[in-house]
Amino acid sequence: MNKINTTEEVHINIFFAYSREDSALRDRLDKHLSGLKRKNYVNTWYDGKIDAGKEWEKEIDTNLSKADIVLLLISADFIASDYCYDVEMTKAISRHEKGDAVIIPIILNPCDWSDLPFSKIQGLPQNGKPITSTHWENSEIALNEVAKSIKDIVENLLKTKNKRLKAISEILNEKDNELKITLQQLEEYNIEQEIAREIIQDLKKEKKKIEVEILALNESAIELEKSLKQNQIKIEKIISKEQVDINKLRVEKEKLLGDVDKLNKEIEKLIIKKTNIEEDIKRKKITEPNK
């Protein structure tokens, strides 16, 4: 995982909700926000930035959804526009109530908005005088006052955004470190399991080898027993015929019996070794994780 770079400044997305009849004032207000844009504090968007060939409703909805600040440019034309009032304003207020965006009503022209949904939200200019009213010497002075107020709001939002980004970055970096430790432990565990599996495979091979040797020894013992029986028969015949050779035959019998005893002892040792290996295999399987 890559760490988030908290030294990078984020910017605030500003969305203009306005009536086409108020485009000139919108353009002037946008110009008054140029200082914020040059410092990369804000990114302003309005429907005039929609590229040819794109669906304008989808583009407006996308940019309105990601806006941090929605400027409602209030005028009689805005209130009369079904799209501005019913679509843009309604969605903006919904996001404002959820805390996802800040709505700033900006009163462009004298109009009655006192009982409209956005009337409970503090608007600009702060004295409540429309930008085009005779209260102002000219509209540029009013727009400048509005831009200053927007600047204060933007700077506060930037501080909040950067604090939030830093907190998220710290959490992600902590989780990243925890994940690295977990992956390292898992890798070590997998190595141990692989070694255990290799040991078990070696023990299985050794067990199979011993089983083959035991089988061969058993076959040899059987052959020896047959040979002993045959020799016993011969001895008995020889004894019946020639009593003088009885001592020689007894020695040969004892020797054969000794060989059989040695073979039986070797078989017992191999059986014990086989049993020990089987117990080792069982212990190794117990230490392996369930698959």
Side-chain angles (χ1 to χ4, degrees):
M1 294 174 63
N2 295 326
K3 293 184 178 181
I4 292 178
N5 185 2
T6 56
T7 60
E8 287 186 9
E9 289 293 325
V10 296
H11 64 263
I12 300 298
N13 293 312
I14 296 179
F15 180 94
F16 285 97
Y18 71 106
S19 170
R20 291 290 178 88
E21 286 79 3
D22 299 319
S23 295
L25 284 173
R26 190 215 63 79
D27 290 341
R28 293 308 305 161
L29 178 56
D30 196 22
K31 291 287 179 62
H32 278 271
L33 298 177
S34 295
L36 293 175
K37 287 192 284 187
R38 288 195 179 278
K39 289 190 291 185
N40 200 32
Y41 282 6
V42 302
N43 177 41
T44 62
W45 192 92
Y46 63 100
D47 58 5
K49 294 186 177 183
I50 299 175
D51 295 329
K54 291 189 176 181
E55 298 180 18
W56 66 272
E57 287 190 7
K58 183 177 180 180
E59 288 296 304
I60 290 175
D61 184 69
T62 298
N63 285 277
L64 180 55
S65 296
K66 70 179 182 181
D68 300 293
I69 296 176
V70 179
L71 302 181
L72 301 180
L73 306 190
I74 306 303
S75 68
D77 291 313
F78 179 91
I79 297 171
S81 169
D82 291 339
Y83 191 83
C84 291
Y85 191 90
D86 295 331
V87 179
E88 293 181 333
M89 186 193 72
T90 300
K91 183 167 185 176
I93 290 177
S94 175
R95 294 195 66 225
H96 177 81
E97 290 174 347
K98 292 177 183 177
D100 295 335
V102 175
I103 286 181
I104 306 176
I106 299 175
I107 313 304
L108 300 182
N109 301 315
C111 58
D112 183 14
W113 52 272
S114 58
D115 58 349
L116 297 182
F118 57 84
S119 61
K120 59 185 177 181
I121 302 172
Q122 178 61 47
L124 296 175
Q126 292 184 353
N127 58 14
K129 304 297 181 181
I131 289 173
T132 59
S133 71
T134 57
H135 172 81
W136 304 98
E137 186 176 343
N138 59 64
S139 60
E140 290 298 310
I141 294 175
L143 288 170
N144 183 52
E145 291 298 318
V146 169
K148 287 180 180 179
S149 297
I150 292 175
K151 178 182 178 183
D152 293 337
I153 295 171
V154 165
E155 289 177 345
N156 287 331
L157 284 177
L158 280 173
K159 289 178 182 178
T160 302
K161 259 195 169 186
N162 284 320
K163 286 181 181 178
R164 191 176 301 167
L165 181 62
K166 184 178 180 181
I168 293 173
S169 174
E170 290 174 354
I171 293 173
L172 289 178
N173 290 335
E174 182 180 347
K175 295 299 181 183
D176 180 68
N177 292 332
E178 291 177 359
L179 179 59
K180 286 180 180 178
I181 293 172
T182 301
L183 290 174
Q184 183 177 357
Q185 292 174 343
L186 181 60
E187 184 177 356
E188 292 173 356
Y189 176 76
N190 287 336
I191 291 173
E192 291 176 357
Q193 293 304 310
E194 184 63 29
I195 293 173
R197 282 192 288 270
E198 290 177 358
I199 292 173
I200 290 173
Q201 289 299 322
D202 292 340
L203 289 173
K204 285 181 178 179
K205 290 178 181 178
E206 185 67 19
K207 175 189 173 185
K208 187 174 181 180
K209 180 180 178 182
I210 291 173
E211 287 175 345
V212 172
E213 292 178 357
I214 290 173
L215 181 62
L217 288 172
N218 284 331
E219 291 176 352
S220 298
I222 291 171
E223 292 296 324
L224 284 171
E225 287 179 357
K226 288 181 180 180
S227 177
L228 178 60
K229 289 179 180 179
Q230 291 173 358
N231 285 330
Q232 284 177 336
I233 294 171
K234 289 179 182 179
I235 289 171
E236 290 174 357
K237 288 181 180 181
I238 291 172
I239 289 174
S240 65
K241 292 179 181 181
E242 299 182 17
Q243 189 67 32
V244 292
D245 295 328
I246 192 169
N247 291 332
K248 181 179 178 181
L249 292 173
R250 283 178 178 174
V251 171
E252 185 176 357
K253 176 182 177 182
E254 291 296 326
K255 182 180 178 182
L256 290 170
L257 289 172
D259 290 341
V260 171
D261 185 64
K262 287 180 181 180
L263 287 171
N264 286 329
K265 288 180 179 180
E266 288 184 22
I267 290 171
E268 290 176 357
K269 290 179 181 180
L270 289 170
I271 290 173
I272 291 171
K273 188 174 181 181
K274 173 188 174 187
T275 302
N276 292 334
I277 290 173
E278 289 175 342
E279 291 177 352
D280 288 342
I281 292 173
K282 290 179 180 179
R283 285 194 294 271
K284 291 295 181 180
K285 287 183 175 179
I286 291 173
T287 61
E288 281 190 310
N290 294 328
K291 297 185 177 179

